[in-house]
């Protein structure tokens, strides 16, 4: 196992915040801080808002230099991603930045240009978002599988130290969950797989379960059921190398059905969190 380095430490930090209520001005301040020459050179700076995400604000900043083709404009375009309010309660933004930087080091993600108080800025990659129909086309899903295989073959396996525990103020907790509760510690989250490298899929699911609201008996019962299902799933799948037929001996069709049923935890959790108080 490789000792981790933090590739995000060299990323520039801007002591500025994106404000959705003052989108144009706050976004311009961020872009001009990163590229001062954009403010004084010929050509307007424009922002294109992407709406495919569900929690973040994502803007494409372009400099419309005279005489430039769209391809040339896109080559120097920048994406500005501002986190949805309260989402850091569930998502470890430090680890996310480290992951992006590591991918970029291996040419598997666009270069990370800067961090700001509530988001990231990185290079734009021309392309289009796949539709559901696109993903049924063999050329597309094979391409996705090939790219994911490249990620797994290229990236090092590293053990990460837990990031520093941060304290959340009451407003943040109340915004995300009802009723307000003490946030789970790394020890509580990692206890689901005490002998494994963290974070992993099981600790992420554990974090979500621990964050569920418990203000009513129904919510408490739902949380208890999900916790038990997660424990059963980890016990049955946690030490297997994968879901390939040769890697995971399933004795019967019934066993397969039970596992598939338990794996639906993810969908249940996603729905539960969406129906808590909004994270945006």
């Amino acid at each position: 196992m490789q000792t981790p380095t933090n590739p995000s430490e060299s990323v520039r930090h801007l002591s500025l915040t994106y404000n959705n209520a003052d989108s144009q001005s706050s976004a311009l301040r961020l872009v001009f801080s990163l590229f001062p020459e954009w403010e004084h050179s010929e050509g307007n700076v424009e922002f294109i808002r992407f709406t495919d995400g569900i929690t973040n604000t994502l803007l494409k900043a372009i400099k419309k230099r005279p005489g430039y083709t769209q391809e040339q404009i896109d080559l120097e375009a920048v994406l500005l991603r501002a986190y949805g309010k309260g989402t850091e309660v569930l998502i470890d933004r430090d680890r996310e930045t480290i992951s992006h930087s590591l991918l970029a080091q291996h040419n598997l993600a666009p270069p990370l240009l800067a961090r700001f108080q509530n988001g990231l800025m990185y290079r734009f990659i021309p392309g289009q978002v796949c539709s559901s129909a696109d993903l049924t086309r063999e050329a597309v899903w094979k391409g996705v599988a090939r790219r994911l295989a490249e990620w797994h073959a290229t990236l090092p396996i590293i053990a990460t130290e837990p990031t520093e525990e941060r304290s959340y103020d009451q407003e943040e907790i109340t915004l995300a969950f009802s009723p307000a509760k003490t946030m789970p510690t790394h020890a509580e989250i990692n206890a689901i797989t005490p002998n494994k490298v963290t974070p992993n899929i099981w600790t992420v699911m554990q974090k979500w379960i621990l964050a569920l609201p418990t203000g009513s008996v129904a919510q408490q019962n739902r949380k208890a059921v999900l916790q038990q299902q997660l424990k059963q799933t980890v016990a049955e799948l946690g030490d297997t190398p994968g879901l390939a037929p040769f890697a995971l001996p399933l004795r019967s069709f019934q066993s397969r059905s039970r596992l598939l049923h338990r794996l639906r935890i993810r969908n249940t959790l996603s729905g539960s969190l969406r129906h808590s108080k909004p994270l945006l």
Side-chain angles (χ1 to χ4, degrees):
M1 189 171 295
Q2 182 176 325
T3 301
T5 58
N6 187 343
S8 68
E9 289 179 349
S10 60
V11 176
R12 182 178 175 186
H13 186 271
L14 305 176
S15 298
L16 296 169
T17 300
Y18 171 79
N19 182 358
N20 203 48
D22 188 21
S23 180
Q24 182 77 10
S25 296
S26 60
L28 278 173
R29 282 193 292 271
L30 285 162
V31 169
F32 291 156
S33 293
L34 186 62
F35 300 121
E37 69 276 11
W38 278 29
E39 184 174 8
H40 305 292
S41 58
E42 193 175 358
N44 295 330
V45 175
E46 297 181 3
F47 295 99
I48 301 166
R49 183 180 292 265
F50 295 119
T51 58
D52 302 293
I54 59 173
T55 59
N56 299 314
T57 295
L58 187 61
L59 303 176
K60 175 187 176 185
I62 58 173
K63 176 71 171 177
K64 302 200 77 172
R65 302 184 189 275
Y68 270 39
T69 65
Q70 187 60 49
E71 182 179 1
Q72 290 173 314
I73 290 172
D74 281 344
L75 280 175
E76 64 174 5
V78 177
L79 287 180
L80 183 158
R81 178 157 64 91
Y83 308 138
K85 187 175 181 181
T87 53
E88 68 275 10
V89 175
L90 288 180
I91 301 171
D92 188 324
R93 295 301 184 182
D94 288 330
R95 283 196 177 117
E96 180 184 48
T97 303
I98 292 171
S99 297
H100 189 133
S101 299
L102 182 63
L103 288 167
Q105 277 189 343
H106 294 276
N107 297 316
L108 297 173
L112 186 56
L113 303 175
R115 296 183 70 176
F116 52 97
Q117 297 292 80
N118 60 335
L120 301 173
M121 298 174 76
Y122 46 93
R123 283 295 181 191
F124 170 74
I125 298 178
Q128 65 183 50
V129 178
C130 287
S131 66
S132 299
D134 289 333
L135 293 174
T136 65
R137 293 167 45 208
E138 183 175 352
V140 174
W141 61 255
K142 278 189 173 180
V144 171
R146 189 177 300 111
R147 188 62 165 169
L148 288 174
E150 184 182 358
W151 281 32
H152 287 287
T154 304
L155 294 176
I157 298 175
I158 61 174
T160 60
E161 292 298 324
T163 54
E164 181 182 353
E165 294 281 357
R166 62 157 288 194
S167 58
Y168 296 90
D169 61 38
Q170 192 65 36
E171 180 183 1
E172 287 179 303
I173 298 174
T174 305
L175 176 71
F177 309 109
S178 177
K181 62 190 288 291
T182 302
M183 295 307 299
T185 65
H186 281 293
E188 291 175 303
I189 294 168
N190 295 341
I192 192 71
T193 54
N195 300 317
K196 291 187 179 297
V197 175
T198 60
N200 55 57
I201 186 172
W202 311 117
T203 59
V204 171
M205 293 170 75
Q206 178 66 89
K207 184 177 182 180
W208 290 355
I209 290 175
L210 291 173
L212 287 171
T214 55
S216 68
V217 173
Q219 289 175 336
Q220 293 169 14
N221 290 339
R222 177 184 59 185
K223 182 174 180 178
V225 169
L226 291 173
Q227 183 64 45
Q228 183 58 34
Q229 288 180 340
L230 178 61
K231 287 181 178 179
Q232 291 174 348
T233 305
V234 171
E236 196 154 356
L237 293 178
D239 292 323
T240 60
L243 287 172
F246 57 84
L248 181 61
L250 298 178
R251 294 180 178 83
S252 64
F253 174 78
Q254 288 79 10
S255 296
R256 289 183 176 90
S257 298
R258 285 197 300 273
L259 286 178
L260 289 173
H261 174 72
R262 289 174 189 164
L263 286 173
R264 291 193 183 101
I265 267 182
R266 288 178 297 177
N267 292 333
T268 305
L269 280 173
S270 179
S272 297
L273 290 171
R274 281 201 303 270
H275 288 89
S276 302
K277 283 195 174 181
L279 291 173
L280 292 178

